[in-house]
Amino acid sequence: MFSIKKHLNNIEEYMCASLLAGFVVLMFAQIVSRQILTYSIAWGDEVATYMFVWFAYLGAVVATKHGSHNRVTFHFRFFPGWVRLVSETIADTIWLLFNGYFVFLSYDFVFNKMNVFWKSQTTGIAMKYIYLILPFAFALMMIRIVWNMVQRFSNDSDKETTANT
């Protein structure tokens, strides 16, 4: 049971590693094919681009999970504990609201406003599936932000109970 939970908790890392490995292998094959065989894989560049975009968005989810996303929090360490907790919670709540709004906008775009005839030029894949990363990644980021907030409060309550004993 613990092993399954651990793997599910790391699903974003596995997806990022797979996308990055696939991207690198595909680009290497494309370079070798062009230089040695004087042949270009028609769909290679396009698929590699899509893989890299998906990798970037899922990488943002991983950064959110680890609390290492780019944001200005350096000054929080100079605050007293409770002020730091409140400040980080306010910052995360604003970030959560932004992500929620972006999930709404991107979901609306992908499922309601995107032309169903938009297809990838070389692969023929519906662009809806390529753009699906937008609501997916921002929803995952929301889950990770809430998870980090819960851990932050549970860690602070653990510190208080330890200090009182």
Side-chain angles (χ1 to χ4, degrees):
M1 180 67 179
F2 176 73
S3 178
I4 293 171
K5 185 178 177 182
K6 178 184 169 207
H7 289 298
L8 285 175
N9 191 35
N10 294 326
I11 192 83
E12 298 99 337
E13 283 97 336
Y14 299 147
M15 291 172 68
C16 276
S18 299
L19 286 167
L20 184 60
F23 167 78
V24 169
V25 167
L26 185 57
M27 291 307 296
F28 179 75
Q30 182 77 307
I31 291 167
V32 168
S33 175
R34 284 182 184 169
Q35 296 299 320
I36 296 174
L37 305 175
T38 63
Y39 173 77
S40 179
I41 303 168
W43 49 267
D45 291 336
E46 186 176 5
V47 171
T49 301
Y50 297 149
M51 290 172 81
F52 187 75
V53 168
W54 274 63
F55 166 75
Y57 279 102
L58 287 173
V61 175
V62 171
T64 302
K65 173 187 170 187
H66 294 293
S68 58
H69 206 279
N70 288 339
R71 58 188 185 158
V72 180
T73 57
F74 175 76
H75 55 288
F76 289 161
R77 73 174 68 179
F78 298 113
F79 294 161
W82 69 273
V83 176
R84 180 181 332 119
L85 182 66
V86 169
S87 300
E88 288 175 347
T89 303
I90 290 171
D92 283 348
T93 303
I94 292 169
W95 188 17
L96 196 61
L97 292 171
F98 169 80
N99 283 351
Y101 183 62
F102 205 82
V103 167
F104 169 75
L105 290 177
S106 58
Y107 181 88
D108 184 47
F109 172 70
V110 170
F111 291 104
N112 298 328
K113 295 190 172 125
M114 182 174 274
N115 187 330
V116 294
F117 299 109
W118 289 349
K119 304 244 187 247
S120 171
Q121 287 188 347
T122 58
T123 61
I125 299 171
M127 292 304 290
K128 176 184 292 191
Y129 300 118
I130 306 299
Y131 281 96
L132 195 60
I133 189 61
L134 295 171
F136 180 68
F138 281 92
L140 282 176
M141 270 193 260
M142 289 178 68
I143 292 168
R144 291 302 185 175
I145 292 168
V146 170
W147 182 262
N148 289 345
M149 289 170 74
V150 167
Q151 283 186 325
R152 184 181 313 124
F153 279 105
S154 66
N155 287 343
D156 274 357
S157 65
D158 289 345
K159 288 177 187 173
E160 289 176 15
T161 55
T162 308
N164 292 336
T165 56

